[in-house]
């Protein structure tokens, strides 16, 4: 599997001939370190953790250009259908769906989810984390936007992720020290990829403090935006 970070919480997973985008906030993302054409090339699926604009991002345009299937919670998926997205897979917290040779599980995240339309707030379901299971590949848990919660340990026990993509930026999610505590308490020994930092001034500017707080409790991989990195199972 190759994992590419596009800044903020946007990622691309390439495995078994599939190209999967998660939270593809590309346009307007100041830490997007690639070209949009390269980032979306061959996209088969777009997975969304929740409905905020810095996570839905370019989903509608990507789906139209590539014919990708969009996976989201039921409320967000219904709203995206009204925006013109044709191929949708609805799910919700606790569910798992089988796709083309892999599956996606939707798990808890502590955050909000919504959009502004006609000067009013539109509720777009609960925020979630997403777990991608593919045979022969490392299982990846993208936490979305969240605070720490003790059931992270239960999610890890059920789904057995090997790679955890974790927000560390503070203000809108847990910050570096709290995220490091989540690693130490609930996810020791796993591969951790920090995200949701360095993109906007209110957020933590770098992953340095997070790396320091984690210490040797886990293997932290700080990715460079736009550069794919290979990860093997086990």
């Amino acid at each position: 599997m190759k994992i590419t970070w596009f800044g903020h919480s946007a990622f691309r997973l390439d495995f078994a001939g599939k190209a999967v985008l998660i939270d593809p906030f590309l346009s307007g993302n100041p830490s997007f370190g690639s070209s949009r054409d390269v980032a979306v090339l061959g996209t088969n699926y777009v997975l969304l953790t929740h409905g905020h604009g810095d996570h839905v991002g370019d989903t509608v345009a990507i789906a139209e250009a590539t014919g990708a299937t969009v996976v989201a919670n039921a409320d967000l998926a219904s709203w995206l259908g009204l925006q013109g997205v044709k191929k949708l897979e609805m799910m919700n917290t606790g569910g798992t769906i089988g796709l083309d040779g892999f599956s996606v599980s939707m798990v808890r995240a502590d955050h909000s989810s919504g959009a502004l339309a006609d000067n009013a707030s539109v509720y777009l379901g609960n925020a979630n984390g997403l777990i991608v299971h593919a045979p022969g590949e490392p299982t990846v848990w993208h936490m979305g936007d969240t605070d720490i919660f003790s059931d992270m340990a239960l999610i890890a026990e059920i789904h057995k992720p090997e790679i955890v993509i974790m927000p560390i930026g503070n203000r809108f999610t847990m910050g570096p020290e709290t995220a490091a505590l989540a690693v130490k308490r609930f996810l020791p020994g796993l591969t951790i990829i920090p995200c949701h930092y360095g993109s906007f001034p209110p957020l933590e500017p770098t992953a340095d403090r997070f790396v320091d707080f984690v210490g040797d409790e886990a293997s932290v991989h700080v990715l460079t935006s736009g550069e794919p990195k290979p990860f093997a199972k086990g």
Side-chain angles (χ1 to χ4, degrees):
M1 175 183 287
K2 289 183 180 179
I3 299 180
T4 309
W5 181 46
F6 293 126
H8 206 60
S9 291
F11 285 83
R12 174 175 170 134
L13 311 182
D14 287 276
F15 59 92
K18 311 292 188 307
V20 176
L21 294 179
I22 304 177
D23 289 357
F25 172 45
L26 308 179
S27 301
N29 176 358
S31 55
F32 174 44
S34 182
S35 76
R36 190 175 178 280
D37 289 345
V38 170
V40 308
L41 182 65
T43 302
N44 307 111
Y45 293 90
V46 177
L47 315 182
L48 298 176
T49 62
H50 65 289
H52 287 155
D54 60 329
H55 293 259
V56 174
D58 297 77
T59 293
V60 174
I62 292 168
E64 181 178 2
T66 65
T69 297
V70 177
V71 178
N73 79 63
D75 304 87
L76 176 54
S78 297
W79 183 79
L80 288 168
L82 296 176
Q83 313 310 309
V85 176
K86 299 291 191 295
K87 297 168 68 176
L88 289 160
E89 288 283 355
M90 295 183 177
M91 59 186 307
N92 221 315
T93 314
T96 296
I97 60 171
L99 298 169
D100 182 15
F102 70 104
S103 67
V104 176
S105 299
M106 190 166 275
V107 299
R108 174 183 164 188
D110 280 1
H111 195 61
S112 58
S113 177
L116 288 175
D118 298 324
N119 295 316
S121 180
V122 178
Y123 169 73
L124 294 176
N126 293 331
N128 289 103
L130 297 168
I131 298 183
V132 178
H133 309 257
E137 304 288 351
T139 295
V140 178
W141 177 8
H142 189 308
M143 286 187 164
D145 282 2
T146 190
D147 188 16
I148 191 174
F149 55 92
S150 60
D151 280 352
M152 287 177 175
L154 185 58
I155 292 170
E157 180 181 348
I158 292 168
H159 295 284
K160 298 177 173 55
E162 296 166 75
I163 298 171
V164 181
I165 297 171
M166 172 178 286
I168 67 162
N170 210 351
R171 184 174 285 253
F172 301 105
T173 70
M174 54 189 171
E177 191 166 7
T178 302
L181 178 62
V183 172
K184 295 175 182 180
R185 286 279 184 91
F186 311 128
L187 308 166
L190 300 184
T191 295
I192 309 296
I193 299 174
C195 70
H196 208 276
Y197 70 90
S199 44
F200 298 104
L203 303 183
E204 189 76 12
T206 73
D208 293 349
R209 293 201 309 134
F210 173 70
V211 173
D212 289 343
F213 286 135
V214 172
D216 60 1
E217 296 288 338
S219 176
V220 179
H221 291 253
V222 178
L223 303 189
T224 300
S225 183
E227 294 186 10
K229 183 175 179 64
F231 291 87
K233 185 172 179 61

